[in-house]
Amino acid sequence: MRMNMRMPKSSVLLLLAAGQTAAEDPLIFVRWAPTEGARDPGASLWKSISPTRIPLKGQDVTPPYGGGAVAAVDVRAIHDGEVAIFLLEWDDPTKDAAGAELGSFGDAAAVMFPLVADDPPGPHMGHRYLGDRNAVVNIWRYRADTDAAEDLNAAGIGTLLTQDRQNVSGRAQHDGRRWRVAFWRRLRTDDEWDAQFRPGLRTWLNVVVWDGSRGERAGQKSVSDRWHRVIFEAR
C-alpha cells in the first residue's frame, strides 16, 4: 500500500479538539490486565471492567447520509504491556451476516486511532470520521459477513485502503440481543501504517457501527461525532 502524504510527528501537551471539553469527553482507560483468555468477547474478565458508553448518531457530513440505528456503543480495553484488546458492545437483536439475499447488508463495527498516536493535538487528529490527508488514521474493522477483522488506513472520506500487512485480529459474539466484538493487536509493530501504542500513552479513538438489517452500509452508519480520550495504564 502506498499513500503519498506527510504525517506529523510532533507530540505536544493535551489540546482538546474544537468544540470538545473535558467534561463532555468520555474517557477510555486501557487497564493493565492479563490478556490471556480475554480475546473471547464473553470472557469473565470483561465483566469486572466498567464500560465507557459512547453515544452514536446518523452520519450527516457527506453523502450518502443516514444511519443512526444504533444509539450507543460500550467500550472496554485492556493491555498487558505487549498486547492491547478493545471490546465493543452494542444492542442489536438481529445477527446480519449479509450476502444471502439481494439488497441485504451485514453488521459491522470499527475503531479508529490517529496514526501518529502519541497524544496528537486536535488539528493533527484529522477528521473525526476518516482522518484527512495531513492526519492519517488507522482503522480496525470487523465485518459479520467475513467474520474477521481488517487493518485499514484512511486520509479522508473516500480514501479507505486495506493494509498489505494485517496485524489486527478479531472475534465476535452475538447472543440474540447484543453484539460483542473484541479486537487485539500487539502494542508495537514494525508497520509504519499502524498506530503505535505503549504503557502510559495518551491518545484518542472513535467508533462506528453498522446495522445491516436497518439498511446501514458504507457511509450510512451510526457514528460518534467526536474523538474520545484514551489512556493506557502504566505499570
Side-chain angles (χ1 to χ4, degrees):
M1 180 185 67
R2 296 181 179 178
M3 302 178 73
N4 184 21
M5 55 193 74
R6 298 184 64 185
M7 293 173 289
K9 293 293 184 180
S10 59
S11 175
V12 300
L13 295 176
L14 170 62
L15 294 174
L16 296 174
Q20 186 170 330
T21 69
E24 295 172 335
D25 185 39
L27 170 68
I28 295 104
F29 188 64
V30 187
R31 179 173 140 185
W32 193 299
T35 60
E36 184 176 357
R39 292 170 174 83
D40 176 1
S44 59
L45 168 71
W46 294 114
K47 297 176 183 178
S48 68
I49 299 174
S50 298
T52 298
R53 175 153 293 186
I54 296 178
L56 304 178
K57 67 171 193 173
Q59 190 276 124
D60 59 1
V61 171
T62 186
Y65 306 111
V70 179
V73 60
D74 290 334
V75 181
R76 297 174 173 88
I78 62 172
H79 79 94
D80 61 2
E82 297 290 336
V83 173
I85 307 179
F86 286 80
L87 180 74
L88 307 185
E89 186 175 354
W90 68 95
D91 290 334
D92 183 353
T94 61
K95 179 181 179 179
D96 306 309
E101 300 179 8
L102 184 65
S104 64
F105 306 101
D107 294 332
V111 60
M112 178 177 79
F113 306 93
L115 180 59
V116 181
D118 200 354
D119 204 12
H124 287 175
M125 286 152 53
H127 194 278
R128 62 190 181 277
Y129 294 159
L130 282 171
D132 61 48
R133 65 180 184 146
N134 293 312
V136 184
V137 292
N138 183 197
I139 297 170
W140 304 351
R141 181 175 66 181
Y142 170 81
R143 291 172 47 179
D145 60 347
T146 61
D147 190 28
E150 303 170 279
D151 202 356
L152 308 117
N153 293 100
I157 293 168
T159 67
L160 190 65
L161 290 175
T162 300
Q163 290 189 9
D164 294 333
R165 298 167 60 187
Q166 292 289 302
N167 296 313
V168 173
S169 299
R171 186 178 299 167
Q173 179 185 91
H174 189 273
D175 63 5
R177 186 177 65 90
R178 289 170 69 81
W179 271 109
R180 296 178 182 88
V181 177
F183 296 96
W184 64 89
R185 203 207 72 191
R186 297 189 65 82
L187 293 186
R188 300 198 65 81
T189 73
D190 60 359
D191 190 335
E192 65 176 327
W193 298 108
D194 286 343
Q196 303 298 323
F197 307 130
R198 58 176 171 76
L201 177 73
R202 298 170 65 90
T203 189
W204 306 84
L205 68 71
N206 208 349
V207 294
V208 59
V209 174
W210 291 264
D211 185 341
S213 64
R214 300 288 293 274
E216 294 186 352
R217 73 276 191 193
Q220 297 173 311
K221 53 194 175 183
S222 300
V223 300
S224 169
D225 65 357
R226 65 178 64 250
W227 287 92
H228 302 280
R229 167 60 71 188
V230 179
I231 298 178
F232 284 75
E233 183 176 15
R235 189 72 182 253

